């Protein structure tokens, strides 16, 4: 009963932060530009350790990298590779100046409202050219700053209940600073923390894989211990995910109690607004002990389905420990309610795009206006396969299902569909032209109607919460963000564009029902060709 009540925290949070036409019109929230948070975390008393700018260009073909077609494992991790990784995950890739003097420094990964609340830390054990220690990465001056001296991998391994972290060369930790995003989005920002760290992880895991660094993503860890290790003010910033990188070597020192660190930082703004609902759901989804991490992984960590996509030959083999995404939760499981299904077989996804991963990331930018031109069916199939390809993590794939509104794709009649990855096909939910409905569902944004196709990520949230507790809420949003980020990369690699979008929650579910009855809308990504060259920025 207590567990049931506990789980209701995520359900309640999700429902209370739902967008609807009424909630948007009645919100009353305005942006207070005087307190817009600064977009970089600046440690004022720590010397910068500059990163080399002549780093590896990560030239592996983008689609091969997304399919997990990794080179031989790297024998070492050097500063150049670490710099390449940090740049392509979180670096400043473009500067845009606006008439009147405004300037935005756009980053490698997309982020809601360009607010960039995701911060990056690295626990370094064996990186050639870098002292062991705990570092913060600042994209502003492309430098690291050491927060702790000495090897902290043992402490991180204990906090993550994953002994291998003490032997892997380095582990990246992603966090989020709440106020950067709540300033604009209020409590709903909690969802964005996982969408945006997800898009960053799409870049980071693809680049790490392409460099032979065998990334392993961990969503389970003792939150208070990792927050303490990083020296975070846990009411304002929290660790979200860990990614272990590089070869294994001799283990770091065994964990010993770590003193508190609290290096001074520049305030983000002169005033902040607290959103207790956000802190409540984060606290309710924490794991407090190593035993709890182990139990959480053992209980929820198995695959939701034994189905993998490998049988179809459409994609490469899944990474060890994690099947390629094959949604067992609805689309791949029991038949959906309604009339007998009809399917459209998608063409074979393209294996290569002819564009290196580093180049794709450098030129990526959310499409601000889609032309209404169609995509080829193979282009769409390639995005869908890349978005859902497997990779190594401590939670199973397939928590979210991909639904689509196809507005304009060659050989695919306009309509609403469910994507079935294991067979590489689209299941027809409803035929018809739905451009105006799609724009409406995406919070009445034209992007949703002008796109060639729009992916709606839906998940059986209650089932996920039953299995993973409140932390399942993090997983559903994270997986959708990650898949959305991979969709961006697959689209730009093929020469067209993408944009993440927000949405009207209940209306999305209603649109795809009865097929999607009982699920929740989690995230949206639109795909298509930019209206004019200049608009893909
Ligand atoms: C999770 C997510 C949700 C987004 N939602 C919207 C949206 O609703 N409307 C929109 O115009 N752009 C949306 N975007 C695009 C962001 O505004 C864009 O990523 C940000 O301005 C940075 O620009 P860039 O992607 O071109 O680098 C979203 C992006 C992400 C990653």
């Amino acid at each position: 009963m207590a567990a049931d009540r506990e789980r209701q925290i995520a359900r309640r949070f999700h429902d209370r932060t739902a967008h609807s036409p009424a909630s948007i019109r009645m919100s009353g929230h305005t942006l207070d530009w005087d307190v817009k948070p600064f977009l970089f975390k600046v440690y004022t008393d720590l010397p910068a350790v500059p990163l080399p700018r002549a780093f590896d260009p990560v030239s592996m073909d983008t689609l091969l990298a997304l399919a997990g077609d990794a080179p031989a494992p790297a024998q070492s991790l050097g500063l150049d590779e670490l710099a390449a990784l940090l740049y392509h995950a979180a670096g400043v890739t473009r500067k845009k100046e606006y008439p009147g003097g405004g300037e935005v420094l756009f980053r490698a990964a997309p982020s809601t409202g360009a607010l960039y609340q995701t911060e990056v830390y690295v626990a370094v054990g064996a990186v050639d050219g870098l002292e062991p220690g705990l570092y913060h990465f600042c994209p502003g001056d492309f430098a690291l700053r050491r927060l702790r001296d000495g090897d902290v991998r043992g402490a991180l391994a204990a906090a993550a209940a994953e002994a291998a972290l003490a032997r892997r060369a380095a582990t990246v930790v992603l966090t989020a600073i709440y106020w950067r995003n709540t300033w604009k989005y209020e409590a709903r920002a909690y969802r964005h923390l996982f969408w945006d760290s997800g898009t960053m992880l799409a870049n980071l895991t693809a680049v790490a894989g392409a460099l032979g660094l065998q990334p392993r993503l961990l969503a389970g860890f003792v939150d208070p211990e990792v927050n303490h290790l990083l020296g975070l003010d846990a009411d304002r910033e929290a660790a979200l995910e860990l990614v272990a990188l590089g070869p294994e070597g001799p283990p770091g020192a065994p964990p010993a109690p770590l003193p508190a660190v609290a290096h001074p930082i520049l305030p983000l703004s002169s005033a902040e607004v607290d959103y207790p609902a956000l802190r409540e759901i984060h606290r309710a989804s924490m794991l407090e002990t190593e035993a709890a991490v182990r139990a959480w992984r053992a209980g929820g960590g198995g695959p939701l389905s034994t189905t993998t996509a490998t049988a179809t030959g459409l994609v490469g083999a899944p990474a060890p420990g994690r099947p390629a995404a094959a949604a067992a939760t609805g689309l791949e499981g029991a038949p959906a309610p309604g009339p007998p299904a009809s399917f459209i077989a998608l063409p074979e996804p393209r294996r290569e795009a002819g564009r290196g991963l580093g180049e794709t990331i450098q030129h990526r930018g959310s499409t601000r206006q889609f032309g209404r031109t169609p995509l080829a069916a193979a282009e769409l199939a390639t995005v869908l396969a890349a978005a859902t390809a497997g990779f190594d993590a401590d939670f199973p794939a397939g928590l979210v299902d991909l639904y689509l509104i196809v507005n304009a794709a060659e050989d695919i009649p306009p309509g609403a569909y469910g994507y079935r990855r294991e067979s590489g096909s689209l299941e027809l939910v409803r035929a018809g032209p739905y451009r105006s409905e799609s724009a409406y569902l995406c919070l009445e944004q034209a992007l949703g109607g002008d796109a060639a196709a729009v992916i709606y990520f839906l998940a059986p949230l209650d089932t996920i919460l039953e299995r993973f507790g409140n932390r399942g809420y993090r997983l559903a949003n994270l997986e959708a963000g990650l898949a959305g980020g991979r969709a961006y990369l697959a689209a730009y690699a093929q020469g067209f564009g993408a944009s993440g979008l927000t949405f009207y929650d209940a209306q999305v579910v209603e649109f795809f029902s009865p097929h999607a009855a009982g699920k929740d809308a989690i995230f949206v990504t639109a795909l298509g060709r930019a209206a004019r060259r200049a608009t893909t920025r």
Side-chain angles (χ1 to χ4, degrees):
M1 276 310 280
D4 278 354
R5 264 201 312 278
E6 268 286 288
R7 265 198 305 281
Q8 293 310 314
I9 295 177
R11 164 50 64 195
R12 206 168 55 230
F13 176 85
H14 188 73
D15 293 344
R16 285 186 181 170
T17 56
H19 278 333
S20 70
S23 75
I24 290 296
R25 284 163 179 79
M26 291 161 64
S27 137
H29 179 60
T30 53
L31 298 183
D32 183 351
W33 291 96
D34 290 342
V35 295
K36 184 181 182 206
F38 191 56
L39 300 184
F40 296 96
K41 183 171 189 181
V42 178
Y43 288 92
T44 50
D45 72 346
L46 296 176
V49 181
L51 285 161
R53 288 181 187 264
F55 45 73
D56 190 312
V58 196
S59 50
M60 175 185 261
D61 188 275
T62 310
L63 296 179
L64 289 177
L66 289 172
D69 200 353
Q75 298 302 305
S76 61
L77 171 57
L79 198 51
D80 283 0
E81 287 86 37
L82 187 62
L85 200 74
L86 294 171
Y87 177 78
H88 292 105
V92 173
T93 46
R94 298 172 308 275
K95 180 162 90 170
K96 185 166 180 187
E97 283 166 16
Y98 292 91
E103 168 184 288
V104 178
L105 299 175
F106 286 95
R107 316 247 183 125
S111 180
T112 43
L115 292 170
Y116 304 116
Q117 71 282 352
T118 314
E119 292 287 332
V120 183
Y121 300 79
V122 197
V124 169
V127 175
D128 298 338
L130 201 56
E131 290 292 316
L134 176 75
Y135 294 82
H136 172 258
F137 168 61
C138 179
D141 59 358
F142 200 56
L144 298 171
R145 280 172 181 78
R146 195 156 74 219
L147 308 179
R148 288 184 186 274
D149 296 337
D151 193 341
V152 297
R153 290 177 300 165
L156 200 53
E162 176 106 343
L165 291 198
R167 298 188 299 272
R168 300 294 299 267
T171 293
V172 167
V173 184
L174 301 189
T175 72
I177 297 180
Y178 303 154
W179 172 235
R180 284 231 190 95
N181 205 269
T182 54
W183 169 76
K184 179 168 183 187
Y185 297 107
E186 305 179 275
R188 188 173 162 104
Y190 192 67
R191 305 182 187 202
H192 300 182
L193 308 191
F194 296 93
W195 302 351
D196 293 339
S197 58
T199 60
M200 187 180 286
L201 285 168
N203 288 19
L204 198 147
T205 53
V207 170
L211 295 176
L213 298 175
Q214 300 182 287
R216 173 165 168 77
L217 170 61
L218 300 173
F221 52 87
V222 180
D223 299 75
E225 285 183 16
V226 175
N227 292 341
H228 172 77
L229 176 73
L230 302 178
L232 306 183
D233 172 351
D235 282 337
R236 294 185 166 79
E237 181 179 2
L240 305 180
E241 298 100 15
L242 277 52
V243 184
L245 299 166
E248 290 194 14
L258 289 167
V261 286
H263 300 289
I265 51 171
L266 274 188
L268 293 187
S269 56
S270 57
E272 287 185 25
V273 180
D274 181 36
Y275 289 89
L278 185 153
R279 286 189 293 104
E280 184 194 31
I281 170 62
H282 194 66
R283 197 171 44 247
S285 61
M286 282 188 178
L287 297 167
E288 301 284 344
T289 62
E290 270 185 70
V293 175
R294 287 209 174 81
W296 179 81
R297 247 177 228 145
L304 284 181
S305 162
T306 51
T307 318
T308 71
T310 47
T312 64
L314 289 175
V315 290
R322 181 181 164 99
T329 47
L331 290 174
E332 314 291 352
S342 92
F343 292 92
I344 294 176
L346 289 169
E348 190 89 354
R350 299 166 67 187
R351 271 196 51 80
E352 297 186 38
R355 192 173 220 192
L357 179 58
E359 190 193 339
T360 297
I361 292 174
Q362 182 62 50
H363 295 288
R364 185 212 62 78
S366 298
T367 303
R368 301 291 81 197
Q369 192 188 348
F370 290 111
R372 293 194 162 203
T373 42
L375 293 179
E379 290 175 324
L380 182 58
T382 302
V383 169
L384 296 172
T388 53
F391 56 88
D392 191 14
D394 72 340
F395 60 94
L399 299 177
V400 292
D401 296 326
L402 278 62
Y403 286 80
L404 286 101
I405 292 181
V406 175
N407 293 323
E410 289 161 11
D411 305 322
I412 304 174
Y417 296 91
Y419 175 54
R420 289 194 172 236
R421 185 176 207 281
E422 95 292 10
S423 56
S425 60
L426 293 180
E427 177 183 349
L428 183 66
V429 173
R430 198 139 32 100
Y434 291 119
R435 279 195 191 275
S436 59
E437 288 82 351
S438 193
Y440 171 74
L441 294 177
C442 298
L443 222 73
E444 304 175 45
Q445 298 181 86
L447 284 166
D450 292 336
V454 182
I455 307 172
Y456 294 83
F457 297 93
L458 279 82
L461 193 55
D462 290 321
T463 310
I464 292 171
L465 296 179
E466 233 164 76
R467 183 156 176 186
F468 295 92
N470 285 311
R471 210 173 183 91
Y473 193 59
R474 301 187 190 187
L475 296 185
N477 284 286
L478 173 62
E479 181 171 302
L482 231 159
R486 293 165 70 91
Y488 260 95
L489 296 177
Y492 281 89
Q494 297 182 87
F496 54 96
S499 181
L501 289 176
T502 198
F503 49 87
Y504 286 141
D505 289 74
Q507 286 72 13
V508 167
V509 178
E510 208 174 293
F511 178 82
F512 288 102
S513 290
H515 198 294
K519 296 181 189 177
D520 284 276
I522 304 292
F523 180 45
V524 174
T525 304
L527 306 165
R529 297 186 204 290
R532 298 184 304 277
R533 257 186 98 72
T535 55
T536 301
R537 169 354 293 95

